[in-house]
Amino acid sequence: MPGNEVNVVNFLIENKDFLRVNHIGLVKTIQNPSPNGSLEDIESAESVITESSGKKADIFINGHGISIKQEGGSFAYNRIQRAGIKDLFIKLGLKDPDNAIAKLDNLIEVFHSGKITRTRPWSEAFNESDFKLLLKFLMMDGSVNLKESDFPASYILTMPKSDLRADNIHCYTFDEYFKYYKDKIFVSLRRQWVGQSSNSEHKRALGLMRNEGNSPWVFSDVVGTPRTGWRNESEIPKSDRKTVYMIFIEVKD
């Protein structure tokens, strides 16, 4: 599990029947979906899987789906592709999906040209009501491919990375979370490359490039350098390298 989820889940298990959490009350049960979809009690964080974008609730406390987020720097949602976002925006009822997409396209192009930094205020692409609709769906209800989660989240629980205590655990409804964090949330423009040495990142970039819907975020000129370097040119010639972009939604301190 990324972030501090392991520590948080173990803290909750260790303090079950003693800890009270806002909106939920005394913590009596801590559960995780089993392979057959039923909720089962968990004894340790090792049995919890949180990486799936389709599983919005990391755990269930007293039957309520809980999304765990680390206080400070974290990601509210990762790897938004260009392909399919118009369908998502229309489904969610954004007032002007074409305008939002055009603004995202422009941010990617300007970032690629080196004129802006990668971390941008969400207001550069969305009005507040549209961004709130989008963020709620991605954090609580479903994923970019329009799939609604079988395990949506009802609340967002935040705790610091370390020094976990009963007085620094916070449980929010989405509206409460957005009101508190909205000025700390950013659109993060992220690049990776076809031809980089990391096998997983190279394959992901290839997959993005091959989807025609992502073409506005794929560039033939290479900008930046992979942290791990490039693949041998006998495998991927320099001329075949591509710069490919995705968008993350980032929460900063």
Side-chain angles (χ1 to χ4, degrees), residues 139-238:
M139 290 187 71
M140 312 294 283
D141 301 316
S143 54
V144 173
N145 63 8
L146 308 182
K147 182 179 180 181
E148 296 193 9
S149 176
D150 292 331
F151 305 103
S154 299
Y155 298 105
I156 300 166
L157 187 147
T158 68
M159 292 192 79
K161 185 175 182 178
S162 58
D163 189 28
L164 307 186
R165 306 187 310 271
D167 62 355
N168 61 18
I169 185 170
H170 303 284
C171 185
Y172 301 93
T173 65
F174 177 79
D175 286 346
E176 292 169 344
Y177 180 89
F178 188 78
K179 182 178 180 180
Y180 183 78
Y181 280 98
K182 67 179 181 179
D183 294 332
K184 302 179 180 182
I185 300 173
F186 296 85
V187 172
S188 183
L189 315 174
R190 298 297 181 108
R191 62 170 68 104
Q192 54 192 147
W193 300 265
V194 172
Q196 65 186 103
S197 63
S198 167
N199 200 44
S200 60
E201 298 298 303
H202 165 70
K203 287 184 176 179
R204 183 178 291 116
L206 271 178
L208 293 168
M209 181 190 72
R210 289 169 177 166
N211 187 327
E212 182 62 28
N214 289 322
S215 59
W217 294 1
V218 177
F219 297 81
S220 293
D221 57 316
V222 172
V223 170
T225 303
R227 177 172 46 84
T228 56
W230 297 102
R231 302 175 97 79
N232 192 296
E233 288 194 48
S234 63
E235 180 184 357
I236 302 290
K238 192 173 182 179

Side-chain angles (χ1 to χ4, degrees), residues 16-76:
K16 188 175 67 172
D17 297 324
F18 298 98
L19 179 68
R20 288 189 176 275
V21 176
N22 189 36
H23 294 300
I24 295 174
L26 183 67
V27 176
K28 296 181 178 179
T29 62
I30 302 168
Q31 298 172 301
N32 190 51
S34 68
N36 65 15
S38 64
L39 296 180
E40 295 184 352
D41 292 347
I42 56 176
E43 301 299 327
S44 74
E46 282 64 36
S47 61
V48 180
I49 301 172
T50 66
E51 287 84 352
S52 171
S53 63
K55 181 174 178 275
K56 299 289 98 175
D58 295 315
I59 58 171
F60 286 76
I61 301 177
N62 297 355
H64 300 286
I66 305 296
S67 175
I68 300 171
K69 297 297 178 187
Q70 181 175 301
E71 288 184 354
S74 63
F75 290 99

